[in-house]
Amino acid sequence: MTKKPPAPSRSLDPFDRAILRIIQKDNKMPQRQIAEKVNLSAAAVQRRIAAMEKSGVITRNSATVEARAVQMGITSIVEVMLTDERIQTVDTAKALFRAAPEVQQCYYVTGGVSFMLIIVSQDMTKYEETTRRLFAQNEAVASYRSLIALDRVKTGSEILIP
């Protein structure tokens, strides 16, 4: 059974929140520039960022890649219904979807389906291979429905920070 990471143990003050708003948009901004924007020293900003990383508030730093620039032209939203919602079935599905490199996002949900996935593929042939491997050949999957995106209107992972 896969365990969830612990909830962040650090409470955020207004300086932390201001820093997070900035680095969500540009995590390569020099810390001295962040310091100027939030009225702290660069050393204080560095300490706060390190503390937020250590406590789990900041989970990783990554680059956003334009899918079409790397010939990944198909984005699909997939509803997956499992055969049952037993812990072992759900945990096995979570592990499978988490390990699949084509799965960009995966949510275990309520409301008539078990999972919602965002899958990015090179083309329809590759997408069909993915659906066969993850869903059609998976005895734990009762059904799935693919919605192919016509346009990526808005994507991102920024969280609104009050």
Side-chain angles (χ1 to χ4, degrees), residues 2-156:
T2 306
K3 291 185 178 181
K4 289 184 182 178
S9 59
R10 175 178 165 73
S11 66
L12 303 176
D13 66 18
F15 290 113
D16 293 329
R17 292 174 183 281
I19 291 167
L20 287 172
R21 283 185 206 101
I22 292 167
I23 65 175
Q24 277 194 120
K25 292 183 185 344
D26 181 4
N27 75 346
K28 292 191 83 165
M29 181 181 287
Q31 291 180 353
R32 63 180 160 65
Q33 286 182 342
I34 297 170
E36 290 171 12
K37 291 179 180 290
V38 300
N39 296 318
L40 288 173
S41 69
V45 167
Q46 181 180 17
R47 283 192 301 273
R48 286 171 177 272
I49 290 172
M52 288 188 282
E53 289 173 338
K54 184 176 180 183
S55 70
V57 172
I58 298 172
T59 57
R60 73 176 170 174
N61 293 291
S62 62
T64 303
V65 176
E66 170 55 51
R68 290 175 298 207
V70 292
Q71 290 75 47
M72 298 298 277
I74 304 292
T75 299
S76 57
I77 301 92
V78 184
E79 299 176 345
V80 178
M81 185 64 180
L82 297 179
T83 56
D84 62 71
E85 297 291 324
R86 291 179 312 177
I87 292 171
Q88 183 177 1
T89 305
V90 171
D91 286 349
T92 300
K94 285 181 181 181
L96 176 67
F97 299 153
R98 190 179 291 117
E102 305 89 348
V103 176
Q104 189 179 46
Q105 296 178 49
C106 176
Y107 301 93
Y108 179 48
V109 299
T110 65
V113 296
S114 304
F115 288 91
M116 294 292 294
L117 287 75
I118 307 297
I119 296 178
V120 180
S121 303
Q122 185 175 4
D123 54 32
M124 286 308 288
T125 301
K126 293 290 186 187
Y127 181 67
E128 181 184 10
E129 290 171 8
T130 299
T131 61
R132 285 174 182 255
R133 187 180 79 248
L134 296 179
F135 316 127
Q137 296 172 352
N138 186 339
E139 291 182 10
V141 173
S143 64
Y144 68 97
R145 181 173 81 139
S146 298
L147 305 165
I148 305 301
L150 298 175
D151 187 14
R152 294 171 65 115
V153 177
K154 179 179 180 181
T155 62

